[in-house]
Amino acid sequence: TRMLRERWERDALALEPTVVSVLVGINDTWRRYDSNSPTSREEFEASYRRILQRAVDANIPNIVLMEPFVLPYPDDRCAWREDLDPKIDAVRCLAREFGAQLVPLDGLFASVAAVRDPAFWAGDGVHPTPAGHALIAQAWLKAVGAL
């Protein structure tokens, strides 16, 4: 959320959009494991709330929040659930608080990874393959009522 907070005005609000869509959280988790730089749920949620409040204050009428996700590939990603699950819960709570559409990507990716190899959807468990991007696009369109 740190990087998004720094770029929010320039990359989103300055464009005066009618819809903003946000997918953040996995990098906060990743930094815990590769740089020993953890972000608590409380810090993540507070930072995310400030970003969303700025969108509301800018009169952006439609906000879409997407759950961060991680797939169990490679094996070390399984341990990341401990850090990511509270952030996913925070996104769900913020969606309710702000009346935003929620795209439940974590559950969606978990369900498709149970049927087809997780690496098919995200080669490193985090960054989507073309198939993973298509899955996200379809879920987003469904969540906003475009499908």
Side-chain angles (χ1 to χ4, degrees):
T1 55
R2 219 170 296 135
M3 287 179 54
L4 177 60
R5 197 174 64 239
E6 293 168 5
R7 299 172 45 186
W8 190 239
E9 182 65 41
R10 181 188 75 230
D11 291 354
L13 302 183
L15 301 174
E16 299 180 12
T18 56
V19 177
V20 293
S21 185
V22 183
L23 169 57
V24 294
I26 190 59
N27 285 342
D28 295 282
T29 291
W30 199 314
R31 294 298 79 84
R32 173 182 175 184
Y33 296 99
D34 76 348
S35 303
N36 194 28
S37 180
T39 302
S40 70
R41 178 213 163 110
E42 294 75 22
E43 179 184 351
F44 173 80
E45 188 171 358
S47 182
Y48 206 152
R49 182 176 286 109
R50 285 191 300 275
I51 290 165
L52 295 175
Q53 188 59 56
R54 288 172 59 197
V56 169
D57 293 345
N59 297 314
I60 296 172
N62 301 295
I63 300 172
V64 182
L65 304 185
M66 296 183 283
E67 293 176 352
F69 62 91
V70 65
L71 294 175
Y73 180 82
D75 290 340
D76 71 332
R77 301 300 189 256
C78 294
W80 291 18
R81 302 292 334 175
E82 173 190 8
D83 188 83
L84 188 61
D85 286 348
K87 291 174 176 66
I88 292 168
D89 185 60
V91 171
R92 292 171 182 167
C93 290
L94 289 167
R96 281 190 302 275
E97 180 180 331
F98 283 88
Q101 294 295 324
L102 177 68
V103 184
L105 293 182
D106 189 61
L108 179 61
F109 272 101
S111 67
V112 297
V115 178
R116 183 139 191 200
D117 182 44
F120 176 78
W121 305 104
D124 62 359
V126 172
H127 296 96
T129 62
H133 281 290
L135 189 68
I136 292 169
Q138 187 174 43
W140 191 93
L141 290 168
K142 184 177 179 183
V144 301
L147 276 185

